[in-house]
Amino acid sequence: MAGWPVQEFLRLTGARVPIIQAPMAGAGGVALATAAIRGGAVGSLPCAMLTPDQVRAQVAEVRAQAEGPLNLNFFCHALGEPPDDSEWRAVLAPFYAKEGVGPPETPPPLRAPFDEAMCAVVEEVRPELVSFHFGLPETRLVDRVRRAGALIIGNATTRAEASFLTDHVDLIIAQGFEAGGHAGYFLDGYRPEGTLALVPKVALDADIPLVPTIAAGGIADAEGIAAVLIAGAGAAQLGTAYLHTPEATISAAHRAALGEETVVTNLFSGGLARGMRNALIDAIGPVHPSAPRFPYASAVLADLRRVAEADGRGDYSPLWAGQAAALGKPLAGDPLESAQALTERLAREVVELLGELP
């Protein structure tokens, strides 16, 4: 049993190494997923902000450049009726005045939940894996994804969420509070647990049937990967480590800030997510009661982001990163390490640490 989680992860996914490149909207895409796959990992495309046609096109690009397991990631939130955002606009009024803009007349598209159209794309492009954040979509959609041949990955932030997911998924992400980006809680609110505390609860709990666990949060080097494998995980999902690679599509301001303090904030989407401090967080605090619920808080920030980013500033942008961002920095003076080289190096160093994979 000691080696079952890792070997089962590799068997199920077809990956050569126990690593998933995390889907990161605004930071990941075709180049990053392709490089991770070439390095032996599972590559991921973030799809919550894409149209069905864009998903089709990106999958085709990845398939043309690499052979290996591809994961498509979707969100499962409920949009509901748009909330009243007048209080949020009032909070942002001084920033509008400072930057010489106002709330956008035509807000950009919101993050969209997984629906019939996206399910049809999954059935068409047939990825090896499909992962869901914020719970799962309707059972009929999950069933269609499974019939399309995809392994299904759910995200849990607590033991209770993992137990709920067990009967519906093939792999479970145990997401610790150290992780960058959105916390994927969906049952009982935000109840943060550390990765190394959560992984054994999910992976080794006798009451949870055997489903390989993927550890996520605070893992950016070989020592971190080895630690979660020893703790019972079958693989590690790395996001922030890949932000240092040239394939990451983050801004220069975002890249320059990697390794600075991170906080959990609701300012940029309305959902709780971990990222680095910036001017807006410093001015009004990381969590503000006037920010509309996820994903609506982002809409009225659009023009503030636009003008600041045009000046090379990330003052109003989400600079998502996990607590281990500094661990992924290249040595001083070294060129950026490609995502493929990073994946291969981490896998090699894990074997050197453990002697062999568990």
Side-chain angles (χ1 to χ4, degrees):
M1 273 301 298
W4 179 86
V6 172
Q7 298 307 319
E8 184 69 355
F9 171 83
L10 298 177
R11 183 190 71 80
L12 284 172
T13 64
R16 302 194 305 275
V17 301
I19 295 173
I20 293 184
Q21 164 254 319
M24 299 176 288
V30 170
L32 184 54
T34 299
I37 292 171
R38 287 175 174 168
V42 173
S44 300
L45 291 175
C47 300
M49 298 185 72
L50 301 180
T51 66
D53 284 343
Q54 288 173 323
V55 174
R56 288 187 185 93
Q58 290 195 12
V59 170
E61 289 184 65
V62 173
R63 295 300 197 203
Q65 299 176 47
E67 292 186 9
L70 176 64
N71 169 47
L72 303 185
N73 176 254
F74 301 94
F75 284 4
C76 299
H77 56 289
L79 281 175
E81 290 297 318
D84 180 358
D85 63 1
S86 57
E87 289 187 11
W88 186 224
R89 291 171 182 250
V91 169
L92 297 175
F95 304 98
Y96 293 143
K98 176 184 175 182
E99 303 291 353
V101 300
E105 294 183 7
T106 306
L110 295 169
R111 294 170 178 85
F114 189 71
D115 59 11
E116 291 277 354
M118 282 301 190
C119 192
V121 173
V122 168
E123 292 170 322
E124 176 184 335
V125 302
R126 300 180 68 83
E128 286 76 17
L129 304 98
V130 171
S131 61
F132 294 111
H133 211 60
F134 304 127
L136 295 172
E138 298 175 54
T139 301
R140 63 184 181 82
L141 295 180
V142 174
D143 290 343
R144 286 173 57 185
V145 170
R146 189 178 299 282
R147 287 196 297 271
L151 295 171
I152 297 173
I153 307 177
N155 187 93
T157 64
T158 65
R159 180 194 176 281
E161 290 178 347
S163 181
F164 171 87
L165 291 170
T166 298
D167 292 335
H168 308 284
V169 304
D170 302 291
L171 305 105
I172 295 175
I173 295 169
Q175 185 192 31
F177 67 75
E178 304 96 329
H182 285 91
Y185 60 91
F186 62 93
L187 281 185
D188 301 311
Y190 182 54
R191 300 187 175 189
E193 294 190 50
T195 302
L196 284 176
L198 180 60
V199 165
K201 292 181 182 180
V202 176
L204 306 178
D205 193 321
D207 293 331
I208 298 179
L210 289 175
V211 173
T213 299
I214 301 160
I219 309 166
D221 57 16
E223 288 79 6
I225 297 172
V228 297
L229 297 186
I230 292 170
Q237 178 168 277
L238 278 61
T240 302
Y242 284 106
L243 295 181
H244 295 280
T245 68
E247 292 88 353
T249 57
I250 57 176
S251 66
H254 194 164
R255 196 177 293 275
L258 289 174
E260 300 297 326
E261 179 191 7
T262 65
V263 294
V264 174
T265 177
N266 73 336
L267 303 186
F268 304 104
S269 70
L272 293 173
R274 182 174 294 281
M276 290 170 291
R277 285 185 170 275
N278 62 6
L280 184 61
I281 290 174
D282 288 341
I284 66 175
V287 176
H288 201 286
S290 296
R293 71 176 188 276
F294 180 88
Y296 288 100
S298 63
V300 295
L301 285 168
D303 281 354
L304 289 171
R305 286 186 59 177
R306 178 180 55 78
V307 296
E309 289 174 358
D311 290 338
R313 295 180 286 129
D315 293 349
Y316 311 101
S317 303
L319 308 177
W320 301 143
Q323 288 187 330
L327 298 178
K329 285 188 176 180
L331 297 175
D334 283 358
L336 290 179
E337 186 177 31
S338 75
Q340 178 177 344
L342 171 64
T343 306
E344 293 170 340
R345 175 175 62 81
L346 290 175
R348 183 173 62 252
E349 290 174 353
V350 170
V351 172
E352 291 171 357
L353 287 169
L354 299 179
E356 61 181 4
L357 292 178

